[in-house]
Amino acid sequence: MRLFAASLATETNTFSPIPTSRASFESTFYAPAGAHPDEPKLCTAPLLVARRRAAAEGFELVEGSSFWAEPSGTIDTASYESMRDEILGQLREALPIDGVLMGFHGALVAAGYDDAEGDILERVRAIVGPDCVIGCEYDPHCHLTERRVRLADVTVLFKEYPHIDFMDRGEELVTLVLEAIRGEIKPVSSLYDPRLVDFFPTTVEPMRSFVDRIKSLEGRDGILSVSIAHGFSHADVADMGTRVLVVSDDRKQAGDSLARELGEELRQSRGKWAKPALSLEESVSRVLDNNEGTAILAEAADNAGGGAASDNTLVIHELRRLGARSVAIAPVWDAQAVSFCQMAGLGSRLPLRFGGKASAGSGPPVDADVEVIGLANDAWQYFGAARVPVGDAAAVRLDADGESGIDVILISSRTQAFSTELFTQLGLDPAAYRVLVLKSAQHFAGAFGPLASLIVRGETGGCCPTDPRRHDYTRLARPIWPLDPLPDGRALI
């Protein structure tokens, strides 16, 4: 048995001011054919799992290239086509092949290619033919188009948000693909479109119980896999939105029924899967008024993980206006400010301007007399089992007067707040603050959630608003809730 595995992944925010090119991928994560490190990465789990399984089970694996870029704007055509064609060329050289494993995010948009993953799969299918088994793993914040589901034999999405289960889902995908190649199962897909987009954090109810229930359905009555595509609202493409996918063992009618049932449940509880985001002023007021433990303000709108710059300053200006104390903001992307702090040195004081650089949507820069209270080179943080680099980093205390005031963590490599290493590598204890402002929508919850007595999501400025009605869509297929009154759901496959 001979398999091929590769990965091309990012999450494209078509409203982001940050351009994306092949250089964006190569500077974040690029592993040429056969050079993937032996450690987990978010969208390369199929390759890594298959590598370990091949060694244990005796099949042959051909490893193609893997690409990942931090979420940002639309990719230029030449960059996308060069990465796509690199992988397709490796696949042609690997023939004959019994199975293909692709690690995708599922929300990659390039100029001229709104459904890039569908484009790749169409070309993969043309190369390998109809009998080769194709398996794909996606992030739930994908555009789960009918085209790509039809082209693949097995499609599996992460179930958790935060995405702590990407390796588990990689194991699931590889197992199902191997079983299909051996003729032990006949996977059939059922795809249902509830015609909505919503926010589905899986660490809290009611989504926690919903995910536990769909997991309990797998392996019973011919149901092989159940996935919920949350959708990625920061992309203006026709197929943006929530989808329900059921993969059954040649039980199409049962799969269709279950997909519809779950999709209707999502529709019935629309708008109730998470608390609504508050305004900037209200969210800041709520966390400052909290007197029990540590409060977290999730600054989802400036989340680098959704394509934002992570340099919006509006919350910082509001906190300074109110004279807030024992507050930390993390992370703010500003490589130049980090370099100034490094030159000044730990414990130094200096006038510093930071933030507000990427676009008019970033807000005005912050000017403050700061004390450098932490420095780190080549810093990193965990995202589930993966280590995410943040580059060189600095922690500064604003308006330093000897008291614990407003501390800001500055980083040189743009990313969101995932884990507490963002603080501890700079010598800071996140639990020591009354308020943490974290530039993230939900991925912070795994590591920071246990510290929090209160979590508030704020519409604080940036290109990733929680409410999709704040985006000006021109290509999205309408009607869809909440932009429109809820239309009827529909079976796609």
Side-chain angles (χ1 to χ4, degrees):
M1 187 186 303
R2 184 175 167 89
L3 272 65
F4 175 85
S7 177
L8 176 52
T10 191
E11 186 177 48
T12 301
N13 182 330
T14 61
F15 303 98
S16 173
I18 303 171
T20 310
S21 68
R22 179 166 178 144
S24 308
F25 290 81
E26 293 181 347
S27 65
T28 305
F29 177 73
Y30 169 49
H36 193 293
D38 195 26
E39 63 180 52
K41 301 294 180 183
L42 179 65
C43 292
T44 63
L47 184 152
L48 198 59
V49 169
R51 176 191 289 176
R52 295 171 183 174
R53 296 277 291 270
E57 300 172 27
F59 62 84
E60 185 178 357
L61 176 68
V62 179
E63 298 183 9
S65 296
S66 294
F67 298 89
W68 166 260
E70 189 68 19
S72 47
T74 301
I75 304 163
D76 70 275
T77 304
S79 289
Y80 163 67
E81 290 179 346
S82 73
M83 294 182 289
R84 176 200 67 190
D85 293 348
E86 180 175 323
I87 291 172
L88 294 176
Q90 294 160 350
L91 176 60
R92 289 189 187 93
E93 292 179 2
L95 295 176
I97 288 291
D98 300 296
V100 174
L101 297 165
M102 293 301 303
F104 291 128
H105 177 283
L108 189 157
V109 180
Y113 297 94
D114 281 3
D115 181 11
E117 291 83 359
D119 170 63
I120 294 170
L121 288 174
E122 200 165 79
R123 296 168 190 273
V124 167
R125 181 57 79 189
I127 292 169
V128 301
D131 297 328
C132 180
V133 177
I134 299 176
C136 303
E137 183 180 26
Y138 293 94
D139 185 296
H141 298 105
C142 64
H143 314 303
L144 196 58
T145 67
E146 179 181 351
R147 176 193 190 191
R148 64 180 74 167
V149 174
R150 288 191 184 279
L151 286 163
D153 297 278
V154 183
T155 301
V156 171
L157 279 62
F158 315 155
K159 288 181 172 61
E160 303 291 346
Y161 183 33
H163 306 325
I164 57 175
D165 64 329
F166 59 90
M167 289 299 292
D168 293 335
R169 301 287 75 76
E171 290 280 1
E172 176 186 335
L173 178 69
V174 172
T175 295
L176 294 176
V177 166
L178 291 174
E179 290 177 349
I181 292 171
R182 295 172 182 138
E184 298 167 359
I185 60 171
K186 184 180 178 181
V188 177
S189 296
S190 301
L191 184 64
Y192 188 77
D193 178 4
R195 299 308 298 148
L196 56 83
V197 61
D198 211 337
F199 187 67
F200 303 101
T202 64
T203 53
V204 295
E205 297 295 349
M207 197 61 187
R208 178 69 264 149
S209 293
F210 188 85
V211 170
D212 290 340
R213 180 155 57 87
I214 66 173
K215 290 169 71 173
S216 74
L217 298 171
E218 296 174 330
R220 299 167 50 191
D221 302 321
I223 301 302
L224 301 174
S225 176
V226 182
S227 297
I228 309 298
H230 300 191
F232 184 59
S233 64
H234 310 308
D236 186 12
V237 296
D239 286 287
M240 188 280 288
T242 301
R243 303 278 164 90
V244 179
L245 173 66
V246 175
V247 181
S248 65
D249 186 6
D250 200 19
R251 296 195 61 190
K252 187 68 167 71
Q253 186 173 353
D256 290 350
S257 177
L258 179 57
R260 178 180 294 275
E261 175 188 332
L262 295 173
E264 288 302 308
E265 187 170 338
L266 295 176
R267 286 163 56 85
Q268 291 166 13
S269 296
R270 64 192 181 279
K272 300 176 182 177
W273 298 100
K275 294 180 179 178
L278 304 178
S279 69
L280 185 154
E281 293 80 10
E282 187 176 1
S283 60
V284 170
S285 176
R286 283 284 299 278
V287 294
L288 292 182
D289 288 344
N290 182 66
N291 293 316
E292 297 182 5
T294 299
I296 291 178
L297 195 170
E299 201 175 345
D302 196 33
N303 171 25
S310 196
D311 75 340
N312 186 279
T313 59
L314 298 183
V315 170
I316 300 174
H317 288 297
E318 179 70 3
L319 289 166
R320 293 180 79 192
R321 184 183 73 81
L322 296 172
R325 294 295 179 190
S326 191
V327 177
I329 299 101
V332 174
W333 177 47
D334 194 326
Q336 184 179 59
V338 171
S339 69
F340 286 0
C341 292
Q342 289 183 320
M343 286 187 283
L346 186 65
S348 63
R349 299 189 178 214
L350 70 155
L352 186 68
R353 169 171 284 196
F354 65 88
K357 287 184 171 63
S359 71
S362 297
V366 175
D367 288 290
D369 293 322
V370 308
E371 178 185 358
V372 180
I373 60 173
L375 291 172
N377 294 320
D378 298 320
W380 53 270
Q381 56 181 329
Y382 275 115
F383 178 24
R387 291 203 340 172
V388 178
V390 302
D392 295 339
V396 296
R397 180 158 295 161
L398 308 193
D399 311 314
D401 57 6
E403 299 182 28
S404 178
I406 299 173
D407 296 346
V408 180
I409 293 176
L410 304 166
I411 60 173
S412 57
S413 295
R414 186 175 59 92
T415 189
Q416 65 178 296
F418 286 119
S419 190
T420 54
E421 292 84 16
L422 195 58
F423 286 77
T424 57
Q425 290 200 356
L426 290 160
L428 304 178
D429 177 9
Y433 294 92
R434 287 186 59 243
V435 174
L436 298 175
V437 179
L438 302 176
K439 290 182 179 288
S440 176
Q442 170 66 5
H443 286 314
F444 69 88
F448 290 98
L451 306 179
S453 60
L454 171 69
I455 296 176
V456 171
R457 288 176 175 83
E459 295 283 21
T460 53
C463 64
C464 299
T466 302
D467 186 348
R469 291 172 293 187
R470 293 179 58 192
H471 282 315
D472 183 18
Y473 298 101
T474 60
R475 290 180 287 177
L476 174 62
R478 306 282 289 271
I480 186 171
W481 185 90
L483 280 67
D484 308 292
L486 183 68
D488 292 336
R490 59 184 183 177
L492 298 178
I493 297 176

PDB file of all heavy atoms in Angstrom, residues 14 35 37 246 252:
ATOM      1  N   THR A  14     -10.651  38.028   3.893  1.00  0.00           N
ATOM      2  CA  THR A  14     -10.676  38.885   2.708  1.00  0.00           C
ATOM      3  C   THR A  14     -10.847  40.358   3.054  1.00  0.00           C
ATOM      4  O   THR A  14     -10.753  41.217   2.173  1.00  0.00           O
ATOM      5  CB  THR A  14     -11.787  38.450   1.735  1.00  0.00           C
ATOM      6  OG1 THR A  14     -13.059  38.566   2.378  1.00  0.00           O
ATOM      7  CG2 THR A  14     -11.579  37.012   1.267  1.00  0.00           C
ATOM      8  N   ALA A  35      10.686  16.802   4.545  1.00  0.00           N
ATOM      9  CA  ALA A  35      11.416  17.580   5.548  1.00  0.00           C
ATOM     10  C   ALA A  35      10.548  18.047   6.703  1.00  0.00           C
ATOM     11  O   ALA A  35      10.977  18.886   7.501  1.00  0.00           O
ATOM     12  CB  ALA A  35      12.076  18.790   4.881  1.00  0.00           C
ATOM     13  N   PRO A  37       9.198  18.430  10.241  1.00  0.00           N
ATOM     14  CA  PRO A  37       9.767  18.045  11.540  1.00  0.00           C
ATOM     15  C   PRO A  37       8.864  17.032  12.233  1.00  0.00           C
ATOM     16  O   PRO A  37       7.662  16.953  11.958  1.00  0.00           O
ATOM     17  CB  PRO A  37       9.822  19.368  12.311  1.00  0.00           C
ATOM     18  CG  PRO A  37       8.789  20.229  11.667  1.00  0.00           C
ATOM     19  CD  PRO A  37       8.774  19.847  10.226  1.00  0.00           C
ATOM     20  N   VAL A 246     -21.857  14.331   7.703  1.00  0.00           N
ATOM     21  CA  VAL A 246     -21.877  12.984   8.270  1.00  0.00           C
ATOM     22  C   VAL A 246     -21.288  12.034   7.237  1.00  0.00           C
ATOM     23  O   VAL A 246     -21.702  12.039   6.069  1.00  0.00           O
ATOM     24  CB  VAL A 246     -23.311  12.543   8.635  1.00  0.00           C
ATOM     25  CG1 VAL A 246     -23.323  11.085   9.104  1.00  0.00           C
ATOM     26  CG2 VAL A 246     -23.887  13.450   9.714  1.00  0.00           C
ATOM     27  N   LYS A 252     -26.408   5.921   3.243  1.00  0.00           N
ATOM     28  CA  LYS A 252     -26.691   7.287   2.824  1.00  0.00           C
ATOM     29  C   LYS A 252     -27.955   7.846   3.470  1.00  0.00           C
ATOM     30  O   LYS A 252     -27.969   8.987   3.940  1.00  0.00           O
ATOM     31  CB  LYS A 252     -26.840   7.337   1.290  1.00  0.00           C
ATOM     32  CG  LYS A 252     -26.980   8.768   0.730  1.00  0.00           C
ATOM     33  CD  LYS A 252     -25.693   9.551   0.906  1.00  0.00           C
ATOM     34  CE  LYS A 252     -25.682  10.848   0.093  1.00  0.00           C
ATOM     35  NZ  LYS A 252     -26.596  11.874   0.620  1.00  0.00           N
TER      36      LYS A 252
END
